[in-house]
Amino acid sequence: MLLNDRVKTALVLIPVMLAGIYLLPLTWFALFIGVIAVLGAWEWADLSGFSATWQRLAYQALIAVLLLGLYLGLRKDILPAAAVLVLASAWWLLGTLLVRRYPASVSLWSQPQVRLLMGVLILLSMWIGFYWIVRADDSRLLITLLMLLVWGADVGAYYTGRRFGRHKLAPNVSPGKTWEGVLGGLVGAAVLALVLLALFSDLSAWSALDYLILAVFAGTVVSISVVGDLVESMVKRHRGLKDSGQLLPGHGGIMDRIDSMCAAAPVFAAFVYFWPALQLGQG
């Protein structure tokens, strides 16, 4: 039985991603996520209406320079981490409003230069989120939790939406998504989060407030990951494109694979920073 392009691509990407996430030291991990962001910049330049090769290369160079500045600023404690994480997360609140008001919101971001700025915020916020999580205690487990929340929600939403989906979530942006799917994704992600926390943290030491924060945390991260997907879908629809690129055979482009993580990572990182109880290996 021959493997299709989608399966072949996944068989290559999964080991590369796992090795990058779990084996690389901090500096190399920062570079690894930076490379992914720069690859995404190539596609986002086109989504913004800048399709010439030199324009896309220039945008990649801009993203690379900004990432280097962020890395040096955070590593040397020149940039205040709390402010950076809050700003990165705040962008996605604005993204939520843009999706909710689509297509009326097009007038706010239809200009190519504005879409370039959106790409800067999207790609830098993803990098900031992952970089800060890796700096935290129990970083690998925290990244595992992040991936379980996002991927668990994605799988749960897909199957729940197919089986029970009736009410459209954002019909003008992504007609296939439903509120029932989102609810199923939330439940699936919450179950996975509790299982992981039960394995690696002493939940008996948690207070009722900690459990409440956990529910808010998981629900917020999953919800904002959906916004990440919808923001990219919104821009692709405006541009008249089905996929962000063709770099990954059977999967579309880089942005098609990281859109949810772009939104979830900075919000997750902000929770890690402001909620000390989320230390999986302690207790």
Side-chain angles (χ1 to χ4, degrees), residues 32-33 41-42 98 108 132 147 151 155 181 185 211 218 226 233 262 268:
F32 175 70
I33 298 298
W42 172 268
L98 294 178
L108 299 175
W132 192 259
M147 292 190 298
W151 293 345
V155 172
Y211 280 103
V226 175
S233 296
C262 283
F268 186 103

Side-chain angles (χ1 to χ4, degrees), residues 25 49 109 114 180 263:
W109 53 265
V114 177
E180 290 83 0

Side-chain angles (χ1 to χ4, degrees), residues 203-250:
L203 296 184
S204 64
W206 283 29
S207 66
L209 179 60
D210 285 328
Y211 280 103
L212 177 61
I213 295 175
L214 175 63
V216 173
F217 159 71
T220 302
V221 170
V222 169
S223 298
I224 213 70
S225 74
V226 175
V227 172
D229 186 319
L230 291 174
V231 166
E232 195 221 1
S233 296
M234 178 179 71
V235 176
K236 286 191 299 185
R237 181 171 291 273
H238 178 74
R239 189 78 169 86
L241 298 173
K242 180 179 182 294
D243 297 319
S244 64
Q246 293 81 42
L247 184 62
L248 305 176

Side-chain angles (χ1 to χ4, degrees), residues 81-97 120-122 124-130 132-133 217 220-221 223-225 227-228 231 261-274:
V84 171
L85 290 171
V86 168
L87 289 173
S89 301
W91 148 247
W92 288 106
L93 295 179
L94 175 59
T96 303
L97 295 176
V120 169
L121 296 171
I122 289 169
L124 265 60
S125 66
M126 177 196 70
W127 184 91
I128 290 166
F130 272 109
W132 192 259
I133 295 168
F217 159 71
T220 302
V221 170
S223 298
I224 213 70
S225 74
V227 172
V231 166
M261 281 293 182
C262 283
V267 174
F268 186 103
F271 268 98
V272 171
Y273 183 86
F274 291 108

